Amino acid sequence: MNVVVLAKYIPNPQGTPDLGDDNLVKREGVEGGLDPGDEFAVEAALQLAEQSGGEVTVVSMGPEVALQAVQKALSMNCSKGVLISDPALRGSDVWVTARVLAAAIKRAGFDVVVTGVESTDGSTGTLPMTLAELLEVPALSFARHVEAKDGNIRIERQTETGYDVVECAPPALVSVTAGANNPRYPTLKNIMQAKQKPVDRPSLADLGLSGDEVRPTQQVAEIRPAPERQGGEIVEDEGEGVQRIVEFLKEAKVL
Amino acid sequence: MGAVWVYGELFEGNVHPTTLELLTKARSLGDGTEAVLLGPGASEVAPTLGEYGAQRVFAADDAVYTDHLAQPAVHTLHRLVEEHRPGMILFAMTYVARDVAGRLQARTGSTLLSNATDILGPDRGQTQIFGGTQIVDVALEGPDPKLVVVRPKSFEPQPSGGTAEVVEVPVDVPEELKRPTVVERHEEAAAGPKLEEAPVVISGGRGLQDAGNFELLRELAESIGKAAVGATRAVVDSGWVPYAMQIGQTGTTVKPDVYIAVGISGATQHMVGMKESKRIIAINKDPDAPILKIADVGVVGDALKIVPRVTEAVKAQKGG
Ligand SMILES: Cc1cc2nc3c(=O)[nH]c(=O)nc-3n(C[C@H](O)[C@H](O)[C@H](O)COP(=O)(O)OP(=O)(O)OC[C@H]3O[C@@H](n4cnc5c(N)ncnc54)[C@H](O)[C@@H]3O)c2cc1C
Ligand SMILES: Nc1ncnc2c1ncn2[C@@H]1O[C@H](COP(=O)(O)O)[C@@H](O)[C@H]1O
């Protein structure tokens, strides 16, 4: 199976991102990298390709620095990359992103598309399904375990009360939850080799999209800090703490 | 604008609680409230949707909607949308409805607001970003229906005392959309009250040191009664407890009378799922842990020592 995996570049993966004056998340001029959630997708994609024989292409849309995310995936052992970077895409919403990625994925060709469930910074969590519909393929969503089995893809799908086992023949899309596997660490040699791997840089025109078609359908009308919850009393002594907790439970009338 | 629709869900033979939350909000937006409910048992429970404000419920009872994930539902929902042209459709941010919303967007080409915490009007929604630290009002543009995926527990369900006309919808799903297929179902949920409904939620994090110490929380929950046990993603990912217990951005949202955070640092992604609790107790050995800054009662100390003593004290209270 030939696999396309999505990789999003996000600013400051470990902390809270910053907003610029234009109310957009600052993506340039800040430390960033591959979304940690997408590392699980890359690992699942590599395993699917290894189990079934095939190669993995990593696809990303983002600013120039997003090349770092592509390169991280290449160093994990993806074969080639595609990066769509265009000033017209700044501030894209999920609808625009889905259409750009769909066009790039169709152009690359695939048996399976693997994505994360939600990005760490945007966390809309709907893009994979919009993409599946645009690609006209079934989707195996919220996979906490993925494997290739007898030419099919088989996953454990997270549910509210447990999990379902779900199966499908390719072509299909799989969205992978965080914690689904143990993403591999690239070696220094892998990192050096990744720099030699081909990265295709299609323009919007190459993808058959005009500037008009990538206008966002959402605007931030207002943004303000949420009211902060006030802290209360802090008890430093354990014995006193036990007493205070019990009193508090009584005050709350749950005892 | 056109009517506001709610994409309803069935859960364990009944209406999913989020459906009633969304109907309560939908009817405050005016212009008519309607719902779609697909899956086995839909027409039987459809009248409940009327009691929460749906004037009309489009229902189809067929396992095709539960055996093949989102594609069959999207097909039927899209046909209904073309026929009746709603102005907005509300979905709950659940595994089932989130998938349906995402796919529907590709068919209608309309805007989709995810992670919504409120709907302010026909073209305006509200969301929170960065773990609920910033509130954002979003103007929704482009063609109807506007699609809004709402976080559970954003609205308090309130009955309206109405009744719904139930419209049986023909099941017309093409063979090629009956993919993928659910081949097995497994339940992992813990015994006791449901996380979403329990008046007391006791959650554990990595500070509990190992999986076995979750027993301390279960004992405390039992001594209090009507208490459920939750967890952070860190310990779910470590395999200590099943995912169904995860609280936070990618887990369950809870708003109990009392939330007790044990050995939890208070990452924004965790807090977004519990910070609306009425009262918060936190136990953490690190005086600088962020969770202590939002706790009504914060105890600095070793949870492994404190929790058993609280359990003893609660038992003594109840006994005497
Ligand atoms: C996209 C995304 C989504 C996420 N979604 C969620 C989510 O839904 N839910 C969620 O919970 N997290 C989520 N996270 C993870 C989150 O960022 C944190 O990593 C996680 O919540 C930390 O869990 P923790 O508090 O158990 O562990 P830690 O942060 O390691 O905290 C452990 C705490 O225990 C304390 N401690 C240690 N020993 C003791 C002791 N003996 N007694 C008392 N206290 C002790 C320590 O002082 C520390 O504060 C998400 C992250 C991302 C990137
Ligand atoms: N700009 C992007 N480039 C590549 N992949 C993306 C991009 N945005 C989203 N994705 C993928 O879609 C998933 C869900 O993202 P989101 O819907 O933004 O929460 C992510 O985990 C990624 O796998």
Side-chain angles (χ1 to χ4, degrees), chain A:
Chain A
M1 293 179 204
N2 284 323
V3 185
V4 165
V5 67
L6 292 184
K8 186 176 185 182
Y9 170 87
I10 61 160
N12 195 6
Q14 303 313 331
T16 305
D18 274 334
L19 284 181
D21 295 336
D22 53 4
N23 280 339
L24 297 176
V25 173
K26 276 195 204 158
R27 292 184 192 277
E28 285 154 291
V30 290
E31 280 291 307
L34 174 61
D35 190 325
D38 285 343
E39 288 185 26
F40 301 98
V42 172
E43 180 60 40
L46 291 166
Q47 289 183 13
L48 276 178
E50 285 158 6
Q51 286 163 14
S52 63
E55 56 174 27
V56 182
T57 305
V58 52
V59 174
S60 185
M61 173 187 126
E64 281 298 320
V65 283
L67 192 58
Q68 284 176 30
V70 172
Q71 241 138 23
K72 171 80 192 268
L74 290 174
S75 71
M76 287 172 74
N77 216 15
C78 295
S79 303
K80 49 188 201 284
V82 178
L83 174 62
I84 311 105
S85 204
D86 191 301
L89 295 173
R90 249 190 114 241
S92 287
D93 58 16
V94 54
W95 176 226
V96 172
T97 309
R99 280 179 301 149
V100 170
L101 291 171
I105 292 167
K106 276 189 191 154
R107 190 165 176 270
F110 68 95
D111 298 308
V112 187
V113 177
V114 183
T115 75
V117 158
E118 56 185 9
S119 58
T120 300
D121 60 342
S123 60
T124 62
T126 54
L127 182 136
M129 296 307 277
T130 310
L131 192 58
E133 186 72 24
L134 290 170
L135 296 170
E136 298 178 67
V137 296
L140 299 136
S141 51
F142 301 106
R144 60 176 217 182
H145 176 79
V146 189
E147 64 187 26
K149 203 183 161 224
D150 309 327
N152 281 347
I153 306 162
R154 184 181 167 97
I155 68 151
E156 283 179 17
R157 181 180 196 267
Q158 194 66 63
T159 64
E160 271 177 59
T161 50
Y163 69 96
D164 291 347
V165 176
V166 188
E167 281 184 358
C168 181
L173 178 142
V174 183
S175 72
V176 178
T177 61
N181 49 40
N182 295 310
R184 62 194 71 185
Y185 289 105
T187 62
L188 197 58
K189 190 166 155 233
N190 296 149
I191 294 169
M192 297 313 291
Q193 279 168 348
K195 301 210 165 96
Q196 312 303 320
K197 292 184 180 173
V199 179
D200 184 21
R201 310 287 306 261
S203 66
L204 284 179
D206 293 335
L207 299 178
L209 293 165
S210 69
D212 252 7
E213 284 173 287
V214 297
R215 225 171 44 85
T217 57
Q218 291 180 5
Q219 306 293 338
V220 171
E222 199 194 313
I223 186 160
R224 58 188 177 280
E228 272 181 51
R229 206 184 156 111
Q230 294 299 316
E233 46 187 309
I234 297 288
V235 187
E236 301 265 357
D237 179 82
E238 289 183 357
E240 217 175 283
V242 171
Q243 271 181 7
R244 191 59 199 109
I245 290 173
V246 178
E247 274 164 29
F248 193 69
L249 289 172
K250 274 200 281 180
E251 284 164 28
K253 298 197 167 51
V254 295
L255 284 192

